[in-house]
Amino acid sequence: MAEFMTETKQRSPGETGSAGAGDEPAPPGPGGRREAAGDAGAGPLDGQEAVALLERTRALVDPELRAAVDSLPGSMRRIALYHFGWEHADGTPAAGNAGKAIRPALVLAAAAALGGPGARAAAVRAAAAVELVHNFTLLHDDVMDRDTARRHRPTAWTVFGVPDAILAGDALQALALRLLAEDPHPASAAAAARLADCVVELCAGQHTDTAMERRAPDEVTLDEVLAMAEAKTGALLGCACALGALYADAHDEDVAALDGFGRQAGLAFQLIDDVIGIWGDPRRTGKPAGADLVVRKKSLPVVAALASGTPAAAELAALYGKPYVEGEAGDGGEIARTALAVERAGGRDWAQAEAADRMALAMQELARAVPVPEAAGGLLALAEFVTRRTS
């Protein structure tokens, strides 16, 4: 168990030095290690195990996803197939990118960690259900955030219109619950109830997020944004791990521990995602540079920077105080100044350090349910992957 345990501490914005402008994020690994990309050693930490696990997950889960999507009425099916990257907008086949499959991979890895290969095989339908819910949230989030690009192509609402994108998202959520309702596995009813509760939490988190966007920069606290991020991102990763544990017939305390692991890993994931949203390379992310800054999004690095009490925080507050006009692309020079203000105020360093702390907490939760590191290899590899990515 000692391999998982790492001391954590709470950090305030501005406690650490600023990284150089334009540097790529150097996210933490499991246990809170701050490492530069490519520094990790062999085994799960080199990223290859996670990539292989994600590829195996896609091979197992995609047939279930395709069958579910193919059962939709034609109008909804066309939008969903486009969103997943399986068709072009005109309905012709595409070999697109359906996403990384992190959440279904967590379902399968958790089932394997607690129940072995048999539990993993039994949990494929549950993994597909989690991925359907994730994509329901993406379709809706893109509408609410007015995002115009996802997975290196125009978002569904920009192609098919807002009403159709929303309805397609609703249909994916219904498909997820139907998959579990029709699953003969003994854990399916508990899994369906847990996934439904998760959707409610996701919606509450998104509601909080949209409400925050209407508030002035100095009216939003860091604790509020962290709680919102747990609901929006941590909840589904926690649910994915918990569903895997349910399908392994785990004890309640182990289900709760894996939910806690996923939630803390999800917060680390969101922290790194927010860093990438500001400083990521558009060629890798598929989104315009500084898109979050253009729309004055109160992401975790931004709110941490605003709370730092530094001169750069005052500059950032002034920049964020300017009204956003929907449809504006954003001035490149102003975006660069805003990103630099976030960095100088400590937002970037704080986010990376906080992600390390959250991963340390995740490892502690994982050790409660899976004390033998070898059994938790898949979960460890995925945790490493999601916190060391640059897109």
Side-chain angles (χ1 to χ4, degrees):
M1 187 177 295
E3 287 88 344
F4 294 126
M5 297 300 187
T6 301
E7 290 294 324
T8 66
K9 66 171 184 171
Q10 292 296 318
R11 290 182 175 87
S12 300
E15 280 190 9
T16 57
S18 236
D23 291 347
E24 281 299 311
R33 293 180 303 277
R34 294 288 298 280
E35 299 163 329
D39 284 352
L45 303 186
D46 65 5
Q48 294 306 309
E49 181 176 339
V51 170
L53 196 158
L54 292 170
E55 290 174 351
R56 290 196 300 271
T57 297
R58 284 253 79 104
L60 289 169
V61 172
D62 276 2
E64 286 281 357
L65 286 175
R66 288 298 297 259
V69 169
D70 285 343
S71 73
L72 289 173
S75 57
M76 294 294 95
R77 182 169 65 247
R78 180 183 175 191
I79 300 164
L81 288 170
Y82 172 83
H83 170 75
F84 277 105
W86 295 328
E87 283 188 0
H88 296 295
D90 62 3
T92 56
N97 175 15
K100 296 182 178 70
I102 290 166
R103 291 153 189 83
L106 285 170
V107 176
L108 300 184
L114 291 173
R120 178 175 56 209
V124 169
R125 187 172 291 187
V130 169
E131 184 72 343
L132 286 166
V133 164
H134 172 54
N135 281 276
F136 139 70
T137 68
L138 296 182
L139 282 161
H140 284 202
D141 283 358
D142 285 343
V143 170
M144 286 182 275
D145 295 342
R146 315 304 289 180
D147 283 338
T148 58
R150 180 173 293 282
R151 298 168 183 163
H152 303 277
R153 66 199 316 221
T155 46
W157 73 268
T158 67
V159 175
F160 300 99
V162 168
D164 284 358
I166 291 173
L167 291 169
D170 293 341
L172 294 187
Q173 182 192 168
L175 286 179
L177 295 176
R178 190 178 76 186
L179 276 181
L180 293 176
E182 294 176 350
D183 190 350
H185 194 282
S188 62
R194 196 171 194 108
L195 188 59
D197 285 342
C198 179
V199 169
V200 173
E201 188 174 357
L202 290 169
C203 291
Q206 180 65 19
H207 181 267
T208 300
D209 190 18
T210 56
M212 282 181 180
E213 296 310 307
R214 296 191 293 269
R215 291 159 60 184
D218 60 354
E219 294 176 353
V220 177
T221 70
L222 197 50
D223 285 343
E224 285 181 296
V225 182
L226 282 166
M228 178 271 294
E230 179 177 347
K232 278 192 61 176
T233 304
L236 188 54
L237 270 70
C239 182
C241 296
L243 261 59
L246 287 172
Y247 272 71
D249 194 27
H251 296 298
D252 289 348
E253 57 267 28
D254 292 338
V255 175
L258 281 185
D259 180 87
F261 163 77
R263 283 176 179 271
Q264 294 298 333
L267 271 172
F269 178 99
Q270 187 60 56
L271 284 153
I272 298 305
D273 196 65
D274 285 353
V275 169
I276 293 168
I278 298 174
W279 293 282
D281 184 347
R283 293 170 296 182
R284 296 177 65 89
T285 65
K287 294 184 177 183
D292 289 353
L293 301 179
V294 173
V295 299
R296 319 291 193 264
K297 187 172 180 63
K298 297 178 181 70
S299 63
L300 285 158
V302 167
V303 175
L306 288 167
S308 67
T310 62
E315 179 187 358
L316 177 61
L319 289 164
Y320 251 57
K322 296 179 181 179
Y324 163 63
V325 179
E326 187 172 334
E328 70 177 7
D331 174 76
E334 184 166 299
I335 293 172
R337 287 194 299 275
T338 306
L340 187 58
V342 176
E343 189 160 14
R344 286 175 172 167
R348 184 176 185 175
D349 278 351
W350 174 86
Q352 292 179 268
E354 183 71 12
D357 288 349
R358 295 294 176 169
M359 281 311 306
L361 293 172
M363 293 304 106
Q364 292 173 17
E365 292 286 353
L366 182 58
R368 289 171 50 203
V370 192
V372 180
E374 290 75 13
L379 291 169
L380 287 168
L382 290 169
E384 176 77 8
F385 179 83
V386 301
T387 56
R388 288 173 59 80
R389 62 203 179 91
T390 57
S391 64

